Amino acid sequence: VRRVRIPHLQAMKERGEKWAMLTAYDQYSAEIFDEAGIPVLLVGDSAGNNVFGFETTVPVTVDHLLPLVKAVTTSARRAMVVADLPFGSYQASPEQALGTATRFMKEGLAHAVKLEGGKAMVPEIELLVRAGIPVMGHVGFTPQSEHVLGGYKVQGRGDAADRLVDDAVALEQAGCFAVVMEMVPAPLAARVTEVLSIPTIGIGAGPDCDAQVLVWSDMAGLRGGKPPRFVKKYADLRGTLAEAARAYAADVASGAFPAAEHSFEE
Ligand code: KIV
Ligand code: NA
């Protein structure tokens, strides 16, 4: 099986072929999405609120994410695996970013890294790319800055639109191979997608991005409660698992499980 690489994603943009990215945090999600043909898997710091039980991505550390990245890279045969750089692990300096990204590439066996931010991140991105590490950018709503942004809010409305375009252009010029746009008005995301020659990956950014990304536990209905507006729920895994757990417990209580076929003879 040939691994998906940057030129494949670039060729899809040029052909106008849209593709889907999903998060993955462990062996089974990686195997299943890889076998389903998802070309890019993101080990997102959304693990904070999908694996580790935090409310936000802010508390997530390199030590949290590294083992998950390694699990996904060793389980996915074809997908490109992108490791998210956690809050506080890259913003201090280009050297800090290189140190962190190197750990994800060497110890996590990642194929690329992702970091949040626009123009301000250009020195970090340039150093990583010069060192041989592919970088995915992330603009619009950036969850690691939610305390500055004042919560989950659409970004790039009104006067902020031109600034968002400038940020995205700066990321491309710095050497990013793709850019995530999160919670951006659809027409603005379309404009950025037109302006950039690298693929744009939308989440809450309308239908005109080159690709889309969703958090897998949102997409498959594993999380509880009402998902954000930009999520489409393709399954009800939470309901399916709850039903399985209740059926198993009932079988144990009634003595229906284990049956003879689950038991060993002398
Ligand atoms: O952490 C994450 O899952 C992400 C995607 C939603 C883009 O950053
Ligand atoms: Na993230």
Side-chain angles (χ1 to χ4, degrees), residues 124-257:
E124 282 72 17
I125 295 164
E126 284 178 342
L127 182 60
L128 297 193
V129 173
R130 218 183 311 143
I133 301 173
V135 180
M136 180 178 283
H138 185 158
V139 296
F141 180 71
T142 45
Q144 293 176 8
S145 312
E146 70 156 271
H147 297 296
V148 163
L149 298 175
Y152 274 70
K153 284 186 185 151
V154 174
Q155 303 294 311
R157 282 191 168 137
D159 291 345
D162 289 344
R163 254 179 293 135
L164 196 144
V165 177
D166 290 348
D167 278 335
V169 168
L171 294 184
E172 170 166 337
Q173 285 172 350
C176 283
F177 72 95
V179 180
V180 169
M181 282 191 281
E182 180 162 352
M183 289 179 76
V184 169
L188 176 58
R191 182 177 150 204
V192 172
T193 301
E194 177 86 25
V195 169
L196 295 195
S197 55
I198 55 172
T200 61
I201 307 164
I203 174 161
D208 294 317
C209 297
D210 298 303
Q212 297 289 326
V213 56
L214 285 175
V215 167
W216 91 258
S217 24
D218 289 344
M219 179 278 305
L222 188 60
R223 69 127 83 196
K226 194 177 176 306
R229 175 190 165 102
F230 55 76
V231 171
K232 183 171 173 183
K233 222 174 109 176
Y234 288 88
D236 177 30
L237 284 200
R238 195 182 185 89
T240 303
L241 288 178
E243 208 175 293
R246 280 192 292 262
Y248 163 59
D251 273 2
V252 171
S254 73
F257 177 84

Side-chain angles (χ1 to χ4, degrees), residues 93-133:
S93 65
E95 292 71 25
Q96 188 203 23
L98 181 58
T100 302
T102 300
R103 288 195 65 192
F104 279 108
M105 301 296 285
K106 271 179 126 82
E107 296 169 48
L109 307 173
H111 308 121
V113 301
K114 178 168 89 52
L115 54 81
E116 296 184 4
K119 276 196 178 120
M121 285 298 123
V122 164
E124 282 72 17
I125 295 164
E126 284 178 342
L127 182 60
L128 297 193
V129 173
R130 218 183 311 143
I133 301 173

Side-chain angles (χ1 to χ4, degrees), residues 24-35 41 71-73 75-76:
Y25 313 107
D26 65 2
Q27 176 186 347
Y28 292 144
S29 57
E31 283 175 3
I32 293 164
F33 302 149
D34 190 53
E35 284 163 15
L41 297 177
V72 171
T73 50
S75 304

